[in-house]
């Protein structure tokens, strides 16, 4: 049976650049602190209050459709991985599907924070492998600026806005999805969250006054888990697929913090030039980091290349996967 494979990529980031120097004027921080602690120099912001995550998702999807000369009516399913849906209820994906002309598709959102795109790849692959659907469009998009408190220096320096899209179809060769190793741990959900607006803490004047609608993270706890768990699952994928520095072409890691990525590559003994990075220019775009990496580096991939993905995010959610490039 032919494997499920990525057969197209699209991406989009807004034009507006928010640099570390700009942030120095807003909060008590420095360009030097942000670069040395995170690797981020600037991030993109969707600076238009009338435009939401769907705008980023639609732009990324249309970019893919144009590049691949894809008939949107042939898409069977649209999944949008996001933690910043346009509306709390009424999923973003059906709107995106309508706007891109995917009128024969069904569509839904997937929420697994920074692991959303990685988990979404597993869903897309399973649908394709089941034989029920032929074309699954997976989008990772987040307007993080809509949930960031620009008075909180611990979060506002990290996040940016963006969107990326990939198409999954059955491979025309022997390459495609090879393996995955995913985990989660809800015990630590309070370490990275938006506290209010859900059923545990419905919106109230208290929630509003306390800023519980913005993203909060206990950076140290998240960092500690991310370093040990992201490197562990990536190591498992390496071990059980006999992967090593010689036969892996690219590591595609979620872009949360360059130090987390450095710890992962140390554990799996991978040389730095094999690691795809764009954190310095986009920051952490949550569900969009991995498809944006694929978009930025697409021209480097060759048929049969080995790509290993890994991510860690709120929930906690994390995992690693392995695919061989099919075009
Ligand atoms: O993508 C989803 C998963 N998210 C992540 O993986 C993020 C994981 N966490 C991190 O990346 C890091 O914890 C941060 C980048 C958020 C923070 O880096 P850190 O090295 O863990 O810093 P820290 O929280 O231990 O803070 C060290 C110091 C503190 O000051 P004191 O208490 O030592 O005086 C902070 O108040 O740095 C201070 N600090 C800052 N200083 C300048 C915190 N944020 C800033 C800032 N500028 N923006």
């Amino acid at each position: 049976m032919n494997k499920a494979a990525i057969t197209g990529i699209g991406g989009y980031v807004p034009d507006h650049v928010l640099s570390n120097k700009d942030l120095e004027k807003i909060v008590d921080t420095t360009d030097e602190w942000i670069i040395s602690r995170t690797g981020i120099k600037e991030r993109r912001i969707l600076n238009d209050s009338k435009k939401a995550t769907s705008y980023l998702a639609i732009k990324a999807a249309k970019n893919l459709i144009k590049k691949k000369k894809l008939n949107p009516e042939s898409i069977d399913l649209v999944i949008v991985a996001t933690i910043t849906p346009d509306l709390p209820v009424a999923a973003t994906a059906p709107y995106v599907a309508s706007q891109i002309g995917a009128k024969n598709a069904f569509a839904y959102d997937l929420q697994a924070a920074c692991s959303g795109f990685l988990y979404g790849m597993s869903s897309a692959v399973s649908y394709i492998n089941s034989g029920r659907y032929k074309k699954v469009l997976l989008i990772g998009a987040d307007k993080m600026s809509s949930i960031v408190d620009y008075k909180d220096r611990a979060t506002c320096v990290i996040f940016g806005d963006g969107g990326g899209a990939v198409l999954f179809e059955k491979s025309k060769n022997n390459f495609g999805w090879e393996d995955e190793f995913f985990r989660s741990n809800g015990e630590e959900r309070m370490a990275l969250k938006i506290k209010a607006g859900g059923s545990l803490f419905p919106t109230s004047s208290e929630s509003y006054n306390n800023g519980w609608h913005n993203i909060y993270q206990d950076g140290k706890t998240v960092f500690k888990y991310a370093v040990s768990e992201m490197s562990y699952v990536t190591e498992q994928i390496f071990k059980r697929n006999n992967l090593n520095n010689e036969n892996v072409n690219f590591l595609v890691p979620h872009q949360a913090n360059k130090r987390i990525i450095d710890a992962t590559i140390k554990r799996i003994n991978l040389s730095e030039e094999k690691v795809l990075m764009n954190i310095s220019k986009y920051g952490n775009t949550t569900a969009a980091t991995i498809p944006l990496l694929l978009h930025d580096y697409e021209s480097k991939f060759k048929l049969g290349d080995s790509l290993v993905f890994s991510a860690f995010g709120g929930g906690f959610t994390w995992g690693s996967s392995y695919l061989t490039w099919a075009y």
Side-chain angles (χ1 to χ4, degrees):
M1 188 183 79
N2 282 11
K3 295 164 184 161
I6 291 177
T7 60
I9 302 172
Y12 174 75
V13 288
D15 293 335
H16 183 76
V17 174
L18 181 67
S19 69
N20 291 350
K21 288 276 169 211
D22 296 330
L23 285 167
E24 282 180 357
K25 293 176 204 142
I26 306 173
V27 287
D28 180 15
T29 192
T30 61
D31 178 44
E32 194 275 327
W33 190 97
I34 303 171
I35 291 176
S36 65
R37 295 293 178 115
T38 68
I40 301 166
K41 292 184 181 149
E42 57 189 40
R43 61 290 295 136
R44 299 300 183 93
I45 302 294
L46 182 55
N47 220 0
D48 182 338
S49 61
K50 292 197 175 60
K51 293 190 172 116
T53 292
S54 60
Y55 180 83
L56 303 165
I58 290 163
K59 283 277 195 185
K62 283 189 171 169
N63 177 240
L64 182 155
I65 287 166
K66 191 172 170 204
K67 270 166 61 186
K68 197 164 163 64
K69 300 188 177 67
L70 179 71
N71 176 2
E73 293 182 13
S74 68
I75 299 169
D76 299 302
L77 165 61
V78 177
I79 303 173
V80 175
T82 187
I83 58 166
T84 52
D86 288 13
L87 307 167
V89 175
T92 300
Y95 180 70
V96 172
S98 298
Q99 294 299 306
I100 63 174
K103 63 180 191 188
N104 297 311
F106 72 110
Y108 62 86
D109 291 358
L110 186 157
Q111 206 271 56
C114 296
S115 307
F117 193 83
L118 191 75
Y119 284 13
M121 289 204 282
S122 174
S123 306
V125 163
S126 303
Y127 280 116
I128 297 295
N129 285 343
S130 76
R132 272 184 295 152
Y133 304 110
K134 290 191 168 59
K135 287 183 169 45
V136 177
L137 182 67
L138 173 65
I139 303 169
D142 272 302
K143 186 182 179 185
M144 292 304 292
S145 60
S146 68
I147 55 168
V148 163
D149 173 3
Y150 284 92
K151 292 189 284 304
D152 175 11
R153 67 178 182 173
T155 50
C156 75
V157 301
I158 296 169
F159 294 107
D161 301 339
V166 303
L167 186 70
F168 277 92
E169 295 176 278
K170 208 146 244 178
S171 178
K172 292 196 168 58
N173 45 51
N174 287 328
F175 304 117
W177 198 252
E178 306 287 350
D179 196 11
E180 63 188 49
F181 189 100
F182 293 165
R183 290 289 181 270
S184 64
N185 174 9
E187 299 294 324
E188 295 291 350
R189 64 179 178 170
M190 289 303 177
L192 176 46
K193 63 175 187 300
I194 293 178
K195 185 167 176 177
S199 54
L200 187 57
F201 298 102
T203 305
S204 63
S205 52
E206 186 195 16
S207 70
Y208 177 78
N209 292 333
N210 286 319
W212 292 347
H213 295 275
N214 293 315
I215 192 158
Y216 161 88
Q217 75 166 337
D218 168 0
K220 268 194 188 21
T221 302
V222 181
F223 185 84
K224 200 180 75 190
Y225 267 84
V227 164
S228 70
E229 301 299 352
M230 200 163 117
S231 52
Y232 174 74
V233 290
T234 313
E235 189 179 36
Q236 296 310 305
I237 283 291
F238 266 58
K239 277 188 180 157
R240 65 191 201 185
N241 294 284
N242 297 317
L243 298 174
N244 53 50
N245 194 42
E246 304 311 310
N247 57 19
V248 166
N249 299 93
F250 301 101
L251 179 72
V252 192
H254 169 54
Q255 308 283 292
N257 186 321
K258 187 175 179 302
R259 288 187 293 146
I260 299 172
I261 298 167
D262 290 344
T264 301
I265 63 172
K266 198 168 162 207
R267 180 139 171 192
I268 55 175
N269 224 349
L270 194 72
S271 38
E272 206 165 334
E273 69 268 12
K274 299 201 168 186
V275 183
L276 303 189
M277 298 274 255
N278 57 15
I279 190 169
S280 65
K281 50 184 189 162
Y282 304 147
N284 181 350
T285 54
T286 304
T289 62
I290 288 178
L292 276 175
L293 279 174
L294 294 175
H295 175 68
D296 283 4
Y297 288 93
E298 184 182 13
S299 63
K300 287 196 180 309
F301 306 148
K302 296 189 299 297
L303 185 70
D305 275 356
S306 294
L307 276 69
V308 173
F309 298 80
S310 61
F312 185 93
F316 290 154
T317 55
W318 69 95
S320 179
S321 64
Y322 163 43
L323 71 72
T324 43
W325 200 249
Y327 65 93

